[in-house]
Amino acid sequence: MDRIVIRDRAGEELVTVVELLSPANKSGDDRAQYLGKRRQVLRSRTHFVELDFLRGGPRLPVGGLPACDYYALVSRAEERPRVGIWAWGLRDRMPVVPIPLRAGDPDVRLDLKAALDRIYDEQRYARSAYAHPPEPRLAPDDAAWAAQFVPAPPA
């Protein structure tokens, strides 16, 4: 699942869409379809959050996106066309980003690092995450830095 939707409990109205970009919707066969869905949400009164944890592939259209490896975009319906952008590099700690809710309700704070760590551990990604070099390949100095975090193969 690449999408989380948050609905108003009383009326089932769509409040927020959180999208996690996949290789297919970032640069693959589903890119055009994804961009259409994205435009539809951005024209609505629904908040939109986009998470790009993929270093490869062409960036999606995001005005003001600085050079970075990864980003989170938060588009509050009432503030469009302005968006909040959290950008970080490979060696930076993943940020905590706000997930907007209904007017009058406080944002949910999503700690991306804590969420990724939990998913990694619970889904046992260590078994497969390091079976192949990352795509795109890391620069030599980044590969040397990242090697300290790669677990040793089981004996």
Side-chain angles (χ1 to χ4, degrees), residues 5-6 10 39 72 79 88 94 99 112 115 123 126 150:
V5 296
I6 300 171
R39 276 190 298 277
E79 295 179 0
W88 66 98
M94 297 172 80
I99 307 297
L112 295 176
Q123 298 302 311
V150 177

Side-chain angles (χ1 to χ4, degrees), residues 4 18 49 51 95-99 108-113 115:
I4 297 171
V18 180
V49 178
L51 305 172
V96 175
V97 297
I99 307 297
V108 172
R109 295 177 44 80
L110 176 58
D111 184 331
L112 295 176
K113 173 76 167 98

Side-chain angles (χ1 to χ4, degrees), residues 26 52 54-57 59 62 64-72 85-90 92:
K26 183 175 179 182
D52 184 354
L54 302 169
R55 287 180 306 107
R59 289 286 182 211
V62 177
L65 184 64
C68 61
D69 292 314
Y70 315 99
Y71 73 86
I85 297 173
W86 285 255
W88 66 98
L90 175 69
D92 300 326

Side-chain angles (χ1 to χ4, degrees), residues 28-153:
D29 295 339
D30 297 336
R31 182 180 173 99
Q33 181 182 5
Y34 174 73
L35 287 172
K37 288 180 183 179
R38 184 185 197 232
R39 276 190 298 277
Q40 184 179 3
V41 173
L42 291 172
R43 285 190 215 128
S44 74
R45 298 302 305 156
T46 302
H47 304 300
F48 180 70
V49 178
E50 185 171 80
L51 305 172
D52 184 354
F53 298 162
L54 302 169
R55 287 180 306 107
R59 289 286 182 211
L60 292 175
V62 177
L65 184 64
C68 61
D69 292 314
Y70 315 99
Y71 73 86
L73 173 143
V74 178
S75 176
R76 297 173 185 275
E78 68 276 4
E79 295 179 0
R80 287 191 188 115
R82 292 183 326 209
V83 298
I85 297 173
W86 285 255
W88 66 98
L90 175 69
R91 299 183 191 203
D92 300 326
R93 187 182 196 289
M94 297 172 80
V96 175
V97 297
I99 307 297
L101 302 174
R102 304 277 293 152
D105 291 336
D107 294 342
V108 172
R109 295 177 44 80
L110 176 58
D111 184 331
L112 295 176
K113 173 76 167 98
L116 187 64
D117 286 348
R118 183 171 178 179
I119 292 166
Y120 178 89
D121 291 342
E122 289 181 5
Q123 298 302 311
R124 300 186 179 137
Y125 281 115
R127 294 183 308 198
S128 61
Y130 305 106
H132 305 285
E135 283 295 325
R137 290 203 181 250
L138 296 173
D141 60 326
D142 285 335
W145 171 83
Q148 68 183 310
F149 302 106
V150 177

